[in-house]
Amino acid sequence: MAHPDEVFPAPPGVSVGHPAITAGTIGARVLDGSGNVYILSNNHVLAAVNSASIGEQELQPGTADGGTAPNDVIGTLAAYVPLNLCVLFPASCSNTGRTRATCPSTT
């Protein structure tokens, strides 16, 4: 049985998310050159802040809104742009032995 908050086809603004996060919203639906339909959202919503793997399930609605697998799977993660966490959290990019992460200046 479908979840009462499930909307199909899912329009922008409805609850969605990777199972490891609470929930976010769909920002847009887009087509590629072959006519495949994709949903767009933020990295933290669909890629769980860079921790998801391509092919992992996405839920609609997101878990905070009652979504569960397998009933509420809207699709799988096809691609994402990794977040540069050094820009977002510079304090986490420090010397760790011989490895050093460098961050661009934000000023």
Side-chain angles (χ1 to χ4, degrees):
M1 171 185 269
H3 190 279
D5 291 332
E6 183 178 48
V7 179
F8 188 81
V14 300
S15 175
V16 70
H18 185 276
I21 65 112
T22 55
T25 55
I26 295 174
R29 282 192 329 214
V30 297
L31 296 172
D32 68 9
S34 299
N36 297 307
V37 179
Y38 297 89
I39 60 171
L40 295 180
S41 190
N42 291 305
N43 176 302
H44 69 276
V45 174
L46 298 178
V49 190
N50 300 341
S51 67
S53 296
I54 301 302
E56 288 186 352
Q57 296 177 336
E58 302 294 343
L59 304 177
Q60 194 282 308
T63 57
D65 295 314
T68 60
N71 293 338
D72 299 313
V73 174
I74 190 173
T76 58
L77 185 64
Y80 67 92
V81 176
L83 293 175
N84 181 341
L85 298 177
C86 289
V87 172
L88 296 174
F89 306 104
S92 68
C93 298
S94 60
N95 287 331
T96 55
R98 299 174 114 186
T99 304
R100 180 177 177 164
T102 58
C103 302
S105 173
T106 58
T107 58

